[in-house]
């Protein structure tokens, strides 16, 4: 068996273990070794489970209202999703990792691809894992391999084998072959339900069998994406670790309401808030958009009530990330699609046709003073970043916001709100 790690370095994937549940445990040490679950928006269904909750048989996506008795009977600690806390804890984890590696690509809120150059990559990974848990309280698993796709496989093994102490390396062709033989085809990163069903119908049930399939057949049936996955599983890099995050093609903010909404006034508040969030995200990544889409929908799980779903897109003459323009367009679109007599359960705003702010071409008949608006948006962002989200907002975004999410089991925002900081008694 030969060494397959290339001279350019080893690719690693850091994956935070049961991330949302782990964030809740950091500030409540008594929950360590106790079953913990985190619920989705409006406390709808389970989206995160501790290992103890998994052992009890709690399934991902399990409806919370159907599981209340089970949770109480088995001592399961239940939390509403606290994305302000999770986002800040994610930043702390990534900031802890970054100085210790040669290259880094943040892949999601709880995952990052890394590059370890030179020898002793395994030792560096173990030291990094200990540092992250010591500095942030979040346990992580790390898989090392020649490619991103193989690193995903290695990380799954690190999580499932406690004797590995959270770190597993695929550094020889024999290691890779054994791992791929045990890896089901549906567990391969990038293989969806439809592709896995097709592959299984041809007898390709494991990742190893996929690597041995005819490349021309793979290309015909799974396109260039399938070819890249096959090559990555064969230890050929097709997707290098990239420090620069790719620019988003679209940005979407949508929420299900805590209670169904009937009035246009309440919808205006929600859509205005969602549009303002989209505008802030555009500015944060230095982008502007041309298209603004507003959509609304009733509750599909209440078939007795009349159903209505609609959307409307408005295109601007000049790309923008200005909150005033985006909110005005989103509400204008809402007026086109709003119908009286329906109880709305969800609304959202999607901004698309995104371009870099530095490449915006002004219109001949544009009457907006872009320089002043940019200064205004910058000032608002600075104030809201320092004093709290939406401290400065448009009047249309409202104040009582009765449509907001139902979060009956929300934990404090320990790291992002002064009133929620932990106090130490001496």
């Amino acid at each position: 068996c030969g060494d397959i790690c290339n001279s350019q370095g080893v690719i690693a994937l850091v994956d935070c273990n049961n991330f949302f549940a782990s964030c809740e445990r950091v500030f409540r040490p008594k929950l360590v070794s106790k079953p913990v679950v985190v619920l989705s928006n409006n406390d709808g269904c389970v989206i995160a489970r501790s290992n103890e909750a998994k052992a009890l048989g709690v399934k991902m996506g399990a409806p919370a209202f159907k599981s209340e008795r089970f949770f109480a009977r088995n001592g399961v600690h239940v939390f509403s999703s606290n994305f302000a806390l999770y986002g800040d804890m994610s930043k702390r984890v990534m900031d802890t990792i970054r100085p210790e590696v040669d290259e880094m690509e943040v892949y999601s809120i709880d995952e990052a691809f890394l590059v370890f150059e030179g020898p002793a990559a395994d030792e560096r990974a173990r030291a990094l894992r200990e540092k992250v848990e010591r500095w942030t309280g979040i346990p992580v698993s790390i898989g090392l391999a020649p490619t991103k796709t193989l690193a995903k496989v290695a990380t799954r093994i690190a999580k499932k084998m406690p004797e590995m102490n959270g770190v597993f390396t695929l550094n020889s062709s024999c290691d890779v072959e054994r791992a791929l033989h045990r890896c089901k085809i549906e567990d391969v990163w990038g293989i969806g339900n439809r592709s896995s069903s097709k592959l299984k119908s041809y007898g390709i049930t494991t990742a190893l069998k996929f690597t041995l399939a005819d490349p021309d057949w793979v290309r015909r049936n799974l396109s260039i994406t399938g070819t890249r996955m096959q090559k990555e599983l064969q230890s050929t890099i097709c997707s290098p670790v990239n420090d620069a995050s790719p620019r988003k093609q679209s940005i979407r903010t949508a929420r299900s309401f805590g209670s169904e909404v009937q009035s246009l006034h309440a919808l205006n508040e929600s859509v205005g808030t969602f549009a303002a969030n989209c505008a802030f995200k555009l500015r944060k990544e230095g982008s502007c958009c041309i298209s603004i889409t507003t959509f609304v929908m009733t509750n599909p799980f209440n078939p007795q009530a009349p159903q209505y779903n609609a959307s409307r897109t408005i295109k601007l003459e000049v790309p923008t990330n200005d909150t005033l323009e985006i909110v005005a367009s989103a509400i204008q679109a809402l007026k086109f699609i709003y119908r009286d007599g329906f109880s709305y359960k969800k609304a959202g705003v999607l901004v698309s046709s995104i371009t870099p702010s530095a490449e915006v071409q002004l219109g001949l008949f544009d009457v907006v003073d872009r320089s002043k608006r940019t200064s205004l948006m910058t000032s608002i962002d600075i104030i809201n970043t320092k004093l709290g989200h939406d401290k400065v907002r448009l009047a249309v975004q409202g104040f009582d916001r009765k449509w907001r999410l139902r979060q009956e089991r929300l934990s404090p925002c320990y790291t992002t709100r002064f009133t929620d900081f932990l106090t130490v008694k001496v």
Side-chain angles (χ1 to χ4, degrees):
C1 296
D3 188 347
I4 56 174
C5 292
N6 61 69
S7 58
Q8 301 302 313
V10 178
I11 293 177
L13 174 67
V14 175
D15 189 350
C16 300
N17 299 341
N18 312 314
F19 181 56
F20 294 169
S22 294
C23 289
E24 301 292 351
R25 281 176 163 172
V26 168
F27 302 95
R28 302 189 187 205
K30 292 182 179 179
L31 296 182
V32 174
S33 301
K34 302 288 179 64
V36 175
V37 300
V38 177
L39 305 179
S40 63
N41 292 338
N42 285 315
D43 297 343
C45 60
V46 174
I47 60 171
R49 307 160 294 163
S50 67
N51 289 335
E52 295 77 11
K54 294 176 185 177
L56 288 172
V58 178
K59 303 295 184 184
M60 283 290 282
F65 75 94
K66 290 184 178 179
S67 306
E68 287 181 358
R69 290 184 179 177
F70 177 86
F71 291 156
R73 188 168 62 249
N74 291 277
V76 178
H77 299 265
V78 184
F79 293 92
S80 302
S81 50
N82 187 342
F83 291 113
L85 174 64
Y86 308 152
D88 186 68
M89 291 301 295
S90 172
K91 181 178 182 302
R92 291 166 186 251
V93 169
M94 302 307 170
D95 288 347
T96 303
I97 294 171
R98 192 169 280 107
E100 303 298 326
V101 297
D102 300 293
E103 293 180 67
M104 177 175 176
E105 176 187 334
V106 177
Y107 179 66
S108 67
I109 192 171
D110 62 346
E111 292 178 293
F113 287 105
L114 322 173
V115 173
F116 290 112
E117 295 179 354
D122 190 79
E123 289 79 1
R124 291 177 65 184
R126 293 185 188 281
L128 176 61
R129 181 179 182 274
E130 292 175 6
K131 180 179 178 180
V132 170
E133 188 162 8
R134 186 170 66 251
W135 284 30
T136 68
I138 301 295
V140 301
S141 296
I142 304 178
L144 299 95
T147 68
K148 283 183 175 179
T149 307
L150 285 174
K152 277 273 191 178
V153 174
T155 304
R156 287 177 62 88
I157 296 172
K159 285 189 172 188
K160 291 183 176 181
M161 297 176 66
E163 63 271 22
M164 294 291 104
N165 295 319
V167 177
F168 184 77
T169 305
L170 293 173
N171 54 16
S172 74
S173 56
C174 286
D175 289 340
V176 171
E177 186 174 330
R178 282 193 294 268
L180 297 185
H181 176 68
R182 297 188 183 115
C183 180
K184 296 178 182 178
I185 189 62
E186 61 266 28
D187 293 335
V188 174
W189 181 40
I191 298 287
N193 290 333
R194 184 178 298 178
S195 296
S196 65
S197 297
K198 178 186 287 188
L199 290 169
K200 286 179 180 179
S201 69
Y202 287 97
I204 300 175
T205 56
T206 67
L208 180 60
K209 289 183 178 180
F210 181 61
T211 63
L212 300 175
D214 178 60
D216 292 334
W217 182 90
V218 171
R219 187 182 182 91
R220 286 195 306 271
N221 286 274
L222 298 180
S223 73
I224 188 64
T225 303
T227 299
R228 287 174 179 163
M229 282 188 286
Q230 187 185 42
K231 288 184 180 242
E232 287 254 327
L233 290 171
Q234 294 168 341
S235 303
T236 300
I237 295 177
C238 295
S239 177
V241 174
N242 186 3
D243 286 326
S245 300
R247 190 177 300 276
K248 293 183 176 68
Q249 299 301 308
S250 62
I251 295 174
R252 179 178 184 266
T253 302
R255 296 286 185 275
S256 295
F257 303 134
S259 56
E260 293 183 358
V261 168
Q262 293 181 321
S263 70
L264 179 60
H265 174 73
L267 282 175
N268 277 336
E269 283 190 355
S270 62
V271 167
T273 300
F274 302 154
N277 288 341
C278 288
F280 173 71
K281 292 176 183 177
L282 283 169
R283 294 193 295 273
K284 195 172 181 181
E285 70 166 29
S287 298
C288 292
C289 74
I290 292 178
S291 298
I292 296 101
T293 301
T294 299
F295 64 89
V296 295
M297 60 186 297
T298 53
N299 188 354
F301 300 104
N302 184 10
Q304 286 75 32
Q307 299 293 309
Y308 174 67
N309 302 324
S311 65
R312 182 71 177 242
T313 299
I314 291 180
K315 293 196 173 183
L316 305 175
E317 293 293 329
V318 178
T320 186
N321 56 24
D322 187 305
T323 297
L324 277 70
E325 287 185 277
I326 292 175
V327 169
S329 297
I331 290 179
Q332 181 184 352
L334 174 63
K335 290 178 180 177
F336 280 113
I337 59 177
Y338 173 75
R339 297 290 181 271
D340 198 10
F342 292 97
S343 296
Y344 296 95
K345 182 60 178 176
K346 186 176 184 177
V349 174
L350 172 75
V351 296
S352 54
S353 301
I354 290 176
T355 59
S357 300
E359 298 177 11
V360 170
Q361 184 174 354
L362 300 180
L364 181 62
F365 303 104
D366 186 24
V367 296
V368 178
D369 189 331
R370 301 284 167 186
S371 177
K372 286 187 177 180
R373 284 288 184 86
T374 299
S375 298
L376 174 61
M377 294 301 113
T378 300
S379 299
I380 290 174
D381 290 344
I382 290 172
I383 293 170
N384 286 340
T385 300
K386 287 184 176 180
L387 300 182
H389 184 63
D390 277 354
K391 286 296 182 183
V392 178
R393 60 179 181 266
L394 303 184
V396 72
Q397 294 177 242
F399 294 91
D400 56 354
R401 301 187 181 186
K402 294 179 180 179
W403 47 269
R404 295 188 73 171
L405 295 174
R406 182 172 69 250
Q407 295 176 304
E408 297 173 352
R409 294 160 167 163
L410 185 66
S411 57
C413 295
Y414 299 102
T415 63
T416 58
R417 187 181 296 155
F418 285 115
T419 55
D420 290 349
F421 281 7
L422 289 175
T423 57
V424 178
K425 296 181 180 179
V426 294

